[in-house]
C-alpha cells in the first residue's frame, strides 16, 4: 500500500485519484472514531445486567464492579496513549490504527462470551489498550490536511463522538432484549468491518522520510502533567477544568445503575435516556455555545455553565420520577457551554509554541479524572443504595459531583477576575478611543 505524498503535494495536486484517496482516508478516520465511540455507548446500558449475571450479586455490588471495570479501561488508555503515539511516529499511522481496530473487534467478541468477571476485566484491559489510538487518528487528520482545512477536518472527531454517543446507547439498549451478549457482537461486527475497509482502501499518511526514532522519555505516562507548572497564569482555570471533568464522570460511571435502582428501568429505557442526553449535548455544542459566547463573552459563559451544571446535578439527586429526571437534563446539558470556553481562554493565554504541551497536559488531566471518577462515584452509589446502607440515598454520587462543581466555580471566579473578555472590550471600544484622544 502506497503512502501519501507530503501534505502540501496532496493538497496542491490536481490529481483526482489523490483527492479521492484523501477523502477515503478521512472517511476511514471518521468511521474509526465513530465505531469506537458506538462500541463504548453500546455496552453502557448492558453492563449492569452482564455483571450481575456473572457475579450473582446485587445492583449495588455490580456498581462497584462496574467502577473497577471503567478504571481498568481508563488506566490502560492512560498508560498506552503515549506508547501508541510514539509507535505511530516511528512506523506510521496506518498499522497502529489497523492493529487497534482488529484487537478491539476481537475484544468485543471476548466480552460477549466472557465466562467469569475475571475474563471481563481482561477484556476491558485489552479494550483500553486498543482504545488509546484516538490521538493517532488526530495525527492522521493532521497529516492529510492543509492549514485551511485542518479545523474543518478536525471537526470530524467531534462529529463522530457526538453521533457515536447518540447511536451507541440506543443500539445497546434495543438489542439487549435478546441478551446482553448481542450488543457486544454488533460492536465487534462494526469494528471488524471498518478494519477491512481500512486494510483494503486506506493508504499510509506519514511518509517514511517524515518518521522519527522513538523518544523513550515520551513513553512515560503522565509526563505531560509536569508541563502544567509552565502555565501559571491559567493554572487556576486548569484546576477548575479538571474538577469539572471529574464531576461529569458521574454520568458514565453511575447513570445506568442509578436509573435502574430508582425507576426499575431496563436496558432499553436506559439506552433511550442516554440517546436523549447525546442529542441535547449535540444541540448545545453545535448551536448554542457560539451564540452564548458572542452575546455574553467567555467569562460569563463559564460561570453560567458552572451554575447550570450544579443545578442539573442537584436535580438528579432528588428526581423522584423519570419526568423530573428528563427535565433535569436541560440545565445539565446547558452546563456544557462552559467547557469549550474554559479551553479557549486557556489556549489563547499560551503561546503557539506551548500549545502541544498544553493540550497534552489537559488530555492527561482528563485521563486521570476518568480513573478517579468511577472509583469515587460507584463507591458512593454502593454505599448509599446497598442493602446495608444506613441511609438510602442513590443520588449521593450526583450530590458529590455538585459539590465538586461548586468548588470549581469558586476557583474559576477568582481566576477570571482580571480576565478581559473580547466581547466586553468591543462594547467599550468607542469610549476607550475617546479617552485616548483626550490625552
Amino acid at each position: 500500500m502506497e503512502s501519501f505524498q507530503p501534505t502540501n503535494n496532496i493538497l496542491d495536486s490536481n490529481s483526482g485519484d489523490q483527492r479521492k484517496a484523501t477523502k477515503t482516508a478521512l472517511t476511514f478516520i471518521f468511521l474509526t472514531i465513530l465505531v469506537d465511540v458506538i462500541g463504548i455507548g453500546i455496552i453502557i446500558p448492558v453492563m449492569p445486567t452482564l455483571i450481575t449475571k456473572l457475579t450473582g450479586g446485587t445492583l449495588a455490588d455490580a456498581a462497584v464492579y462496574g467502577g473497577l471495570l471503567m478504571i481498568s479501561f481508563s488506566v490502560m488508555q492512560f498508560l498506552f496513549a503515549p506508547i501508541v503515539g510514539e509507535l505511530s511516529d516511528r512506523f506510521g499511522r496506518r498499522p497502529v490504527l489497523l492493529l487497534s481496530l482488529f484487537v478491539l473487534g476481537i475484544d468485543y467478541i471476548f466480552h460477549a462470551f466472557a465466562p467469569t468477571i475475571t475474563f471481563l476485566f481482561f477484556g476491558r484491559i485489552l479494550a483500553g489498550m486498543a482504545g488509546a489510538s484516538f490521538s493517532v487518528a488526530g495525527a492522521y487528520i493532521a497529516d492529510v490536511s492543509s492549514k485551511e482545512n485542518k479545523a474543518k477536518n478536525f471537526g470530524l472527531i467531534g462529529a463522530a463522538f457526538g453521533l457515536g454517543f447518540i447511536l451507541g446507547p440506543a443500539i445497546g439498549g434495543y438489542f439487549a432484549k435478546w441478551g446482553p451478549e448481542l450488543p457486544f457482537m454488533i460492536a465487534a461486527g462494526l469494528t471488524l468491518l471498518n478494519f477491512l475497509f481500512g486494510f483494503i482502501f486506506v493508504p499510509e499518511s506519514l511518509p517514511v522520510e517524515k518518521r522519527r526514532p522513538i523518544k523513550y522519555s515520551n513513553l512515560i505516562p503522565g509526563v505531560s502533567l509536569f508541563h502544567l507548572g509552565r502555565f501559571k497564569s491559567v493554572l487556576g482555570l486548569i484546576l477548575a477544568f479538571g474538577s469539572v471533568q471529574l464531576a461529569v464522570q458521574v454520568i458514565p460511571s453511575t447513570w445506568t445503575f442509578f436509573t435502574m435502582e430508582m425507576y426499575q428501568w431496563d436496558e432499553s429505557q436506559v439506552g433511550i435516556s442516554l440517546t436523549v442526553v447525546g442529542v441535547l449535548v449535540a444541540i448545545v455544542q453545535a448551536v448554542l455555545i457560539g451564540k452564548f459566547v458572542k452575546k455574553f463573552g467567555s467569562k460569563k459563559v463559564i460561570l453560567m455553565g458552572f451554575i447550570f451544571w450544579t443545578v442539573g446535578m442537584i436535580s438528579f439527586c432528588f428526581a423522584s420520577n423519570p419526568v423530573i429526571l428528563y427535565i433535569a437534563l436541560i440545565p445539565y446539558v446547558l452546563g456544557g457551554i462552559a467547557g469549550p470556553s474554559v479551553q479557549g481562554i486557556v489556549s489563547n493565554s499560551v503561546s503557539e509554541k506551548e500549545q502541544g504541551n498544553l493540550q497534552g497536559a489537559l488530555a492527561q488531566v482528563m485521563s486521570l479524572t476518568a480513573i478517579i471518577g468511577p472509583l469515587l462515584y460507584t463507591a458512593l452509589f454502593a454505599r448509599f443504595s446497598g442493602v446495608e446502607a444506613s441511609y438510602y440515598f442513590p443520588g449521593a454520587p450526583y450530590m458529590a459531583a455538585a459539590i465538586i462543581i461548586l468548588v470549581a466555580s469558586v476557583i474559576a471566579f477568582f481566576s477570571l477576575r482580571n480576565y478581559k473578555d473580547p466581547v466586553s472590550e468591543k462594547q467599550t471600544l468607542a469610549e476607550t478611543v475617546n479617552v485616548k484622544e483626550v490625552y
Side-chain angles (χ1 to χ4, degrees), residues 188-225:
L190 291 173
T191 304
L192 292 175
L193 282 174
N194 194 40
F195 164 80
L196 289 176
F197 172 73
F199 184 80
I200 296 171
F201 296 108
V202 179
E204 176 58 60
S205 67
L206 187 65
V208 175
E209 62 271 16
K210 289 192 173 183
R211 299 176 191 180
R212 62 170 178 80
I214 292 175
K215 294 181 180 179
Y216 291 97
S217 60
N218 290 345
L219 298 177
I220 303 173
V223 69
S224 296
L225 291 174

Side-chain angles (χ1 to χ4, degrees), residues 68-220:
L68 294 175
L69 286 166
M70 289 186 69
I71 291 169
S72 64
F73 178 87
S74 299
V75 167
M76 288 300 104
Q77 278 200 321
F78 181 77
L79 293 176
F80 277 82
I83 295 174
V84 297
E86 283 296 302
L87 290 176
S88 77
D89 283 342
R90 176 66 184 88
F91 300 106
R93 321 297 187 203
R94 184 174 179 271
V96 174
L97 286 171
L98 290 177
L99 179 62
S100 294
L101 281 171
F102 182 77
V103 171
L104 198 58
I106 299 301
D107 182 65
Y108 284 134
I109 298 174
F110 190 88
H111 276 72
F113 298 103
T116 66
I117 192 70
T118 302
F119 278 80
L120 200 59
F121 271 102
F122 183 71
R124 295 316 293 158
I125 289 171
L126 275 181
M129 293 165 61
S133 59
F134 283 119
S135 60
V136 181
Y140 196 115
I141 290 177
D143 293 339
V144 302
S145 303
S146 66
K147 290 182 178 179
E148 294 77 16
N149 292 329
K150 194 168 288 186
K152 179 184 73 174
N153 291 342
F154 271 116
L156 292 172
I157 296 178
F161 264 92
L163 185 59
F165 277 116
I166 292 172
L167 296 177
I171 295 171
Y174 178 77
F175 286 101
K177 65 179 69 175
W178 289 284
E181 298 85 5
L182 184 57
F184 288 102
M185 296 303 296
I186 294 172
L190 291 173
T191 304
L192 292 175
L193 282 174
N194 194 40
F195 164 80
L196 289 176
F197 172 73
F199 184 80
I200 296 171
F201 296 108
V202 179
E204 176 58 60
S205 67
L206 187 65
V208 175
E209 62 271 16
K210 289 192 173 183
R211 299 176 191 180
R212 62 170 178 80
I214 292 175
K215 294 181 180 179
Y216 291 97
S217 60
N218 290 345
L219 298 177
I220 303 173

Side-chain angles (χ1 to χ4, degrees), residues 2 40 287 322:
E2 294 180 0
I40 295 170
V287 179

Side-chain angles (χ1 to χ4, degrees), residues 254-267:
T254 65
W255 183 266
T256 305
F257 301 101
F258 173 72
T259 53
M260 285 182 171
E261 175 70 22
M262 286 289 293
Y263 318 119
Q264 289 73 55
W265 280 1
D266 59 20
E267 295 91 343

Side-chain angles (χ1 to χ4, degrees), residues 8-42:
N8 291 337
N9 292 343
I10 297 174
L11 301 163
D12 294 339
S13 172
N14 292 321
S15 167
D17 290 342
Q18 192 64 69
R19 288 195 297 272
K20 183 178 179 181
T22 302
K23 185 176 180 180
T24 301
L26 291 174
T27 301
F28 168 69
I29 293 300
F30 175 81
L31 290 175
T32 297
I33 298 172
L34 177 63
V35 167
D36 282 355
V37 177
I38 286 177
I40 295 170
I42 278 177

